[in-house]
Amino acid sequence: MKFEVLPSLLAADFGNLERDARRAEAAGADQLHLDIMDGHFVPNLSMGPDVVAMAKQVVGIPLSVHLMLTNPDRYIERFAEAGATTIQIHLESDCDIAATLQSIRECGVRPGMVLNPDTPAEKALPFLDQVDEILCMTVFPGYGGQSFMPEVMSSVKVLRKASNQSGRNNLGIMVDGGINAETGALSALNGANMFVAGTYLYRAEDMAREILNLRNAAEQNFV
Ligand code: DX5
Ligand code: ZN
């Protein structure tokens, strides 16, 4: 199993986004995570395709684009052109999920699916074959700096089991929200192998050391 750590640019200094994107890569991040919010699907507004294009120019690591949009289907091409490696859409968004995942694939981008903390994991099962990764939100999306919700671990467990049973052992299972070495370890224990962390990594004194800590904690606890 490959364990990946993805710093979330939402926790960066917005006056120094370029510097902070580079800082994540230099610290050993596996991917950079970009949170896109429309002020409608979630109450907050964040960044758009231009920030993804900036990141594409300044770092060489893959770009994980998390769309918190009511109508993500309208923006797939824009984010693909901007340089997204993965585009993740919420299962709760207002679009044809299967068709949108398909259009992501057709753009040459890896499709991912996201579940809010209160969405039953079973709802993701019909789309398992269409995605390269599933993100289980461990906070309600919209803001960084919230507390990890341990009750989401049951979903992580269900999805890891389902992916193993369907022979998709390489399916990425990601957690996002309140992740640090401790909550990352608990998530790995339940089957997660990809870890998004904003506050924990961008506020750390030594980002490289904390990326290692998180990856090691995950590796040691994964079952
Ligand atoms: C929340 C975003 C997260 C956020 C995580 O809606 O999806 O990616 O940046 O921030 P922390 O790690 O601070 O909870
Ligand atoms: Zn995110």
Side-chain angles (χ1 to χ4, degrees):
M1 183 57 66
K2 196 175 166 202
F3 297 92
E4 296 196 39
V5 176
L6 301 86
S8 169
L9 201 62
L10 191 65
D13 173 358
F14 271 46
N16 291 289
L17 282 178
E18 178 179 336
R19 180 201 69 189
D20 277 359
R22 290 186 201 275
R23 201 149 74 81
E25 180 171 44
D30 297 289
Q31 301 192 30
L32 187 65
H33 184 76
L34 296 104
D35 290 297
I36 315 296
M37 304 179 186
D38 65 356
H40 189 257
F41 183 76
V42 289
N44 198 10
L45 291 152
S46 58
M47 47 184 103
D50 291 345
V51 176
V52 178
M54 175 284 293
K56 180 73 185 167
Q57 296 241 328
V58 304
V59 298
I61 52 177
L63 303 178
S64 149
V65 176
H66 175 189
L67 299 184
M68 284 158 272
L69 309 177
T70 300
N71 302 113
D73 51 324
R74 298 182 190 167
Y75 299 93
I76 301 306
E77 270 180 40
R78 296 273 305 274
F79 285 99
E81 279 163 17
T85 310
T86 304
I87 296 180
Q88 306 172 318
I89 59 162
H90 270 264
L91 212 55
E92 307 83 7
S93 56
D94 192 5
C95 70
D96 181 334
I97 299 296
T100 308
L101 292 171
Q102 176 67 23
S103 77
I104 296 171
R105 183 81 73 194
E106 281 162 9
C107 285
V109 175
R110 301 173 75 251
M113 154 173 82
V114 194
L115 276 78
N116 275 340
D118 58 355
T119 298
E122 289 71 22
K123 289 210 170 169
L125 300 180
F127 307 104
L128 220 57
D129 289 345
Q130 272 193 282
V131 295
D132 289 339
E133 62 194 36
I134 302 180
L135 166 54
C136 294
M137 289 306 297
T138 40
V139 298
F140 281 97
Y143 299 93
Q146 304 181 78
S147 298
F148 176 84
M149 298 170 64
E151 54 269 42
V152 178
M153 294 301 101
S154 55
S155 297
V156 172
K157 216 172 191 162
V158 166
L159 291 168
R160 176 57 73 198
K161 200 173 162 197
S163 70
N164 286 345
Q165 281 171 349
S166 60
R168 298 282 319 277
N169 301 31
N170 60 344
L171 188 81
I173 300 196
M174 184 184 282
V175 284
D176 179 8
I179 298 297
N180 53 37
E182 197 184 322
T183 56
L186 180 61
S187 303
L189 193 64
N190 287 281
N193 68 310
M194 301 174 84
F195 307 85
V196 175
T199 310
Y200 168 58
L201 295 177
Y202 274 105
R203 302 284 180 275
E205 208 174 287
D206 182 346
M207 191 193 281
R209 191 181 60 203
E210 299 311 329
I211 287 178
L212 273 180
N213 273 346
L214 177 49
R215 205 186 286 114
N216 288 341
E219 236 160 38
Q220 284 159 17
N221 285 280
F222 186 81
V223 281

